[in-house]
Amino acid sequence: MRIWHTLQRGYRALFRPREDAYTRELLHVLRHVPIFQHLPRRVLKTMLPYLHTRTYRRHEVIYFEGDPGLGLYIITRGTVRLLMEDEDGQFEELARLSEYDTCGHLALLGEFRRMETAQAATEVQVLGLFRPDLKLLLRRHPAVGAAILQAVARYVAARQVELVALLSNCTDRRQALIWLQEAGRRAEHRLPSLLSDR
């Protein structure tokens, strides 16, 4: 029996389709993205056909604050500035993102508007995973789609926990948790439109 299993493994290894360099590169990227790094290889491989490569020139805007969110961007090369427009119409830099960082993850979960402007600080290459593609992936590969959504939900939950910790530094923990509860109540009013499957 052991010989039979050894032969089966050898046969599968011999006739397994070889991955090309581009596939290996994409899998390498996904393995280094915090949201997806813990997903099994088979899940990451199933994701690949649903990813879109985009290149942006220096100073080109990837999306504007207030735009409808369509999907998640994974930075594979270059630097992205996250900006906020102040009352005078001037842009203030909130953060800089680089290789393996992501932005726009909330758009995978619903029709959220962008909370900041994302602009290429250098020439930038990104991988995009857009909500319509994720819906298609969910129909074709339900278990894989569910694993991706669960990974994004975990990431959002971890950010929420860290946000409360940061707010606690500005005020007391009780006030931070009150703000979190108030945010939850406000969000509940928006849930019906966010959960609709248009």
Side-chain angles (χ1 to χ4, degrees), residues 115-132:
M115 293 188 288
E116 72 285 317
T117 295
Q119 181 191 49
T122 62
E123 183 176 289
V124 169
Q125 187 173 30
V126 299
L127 289 174
L129 176 61
F130 302 107
R131 198 167 54 252

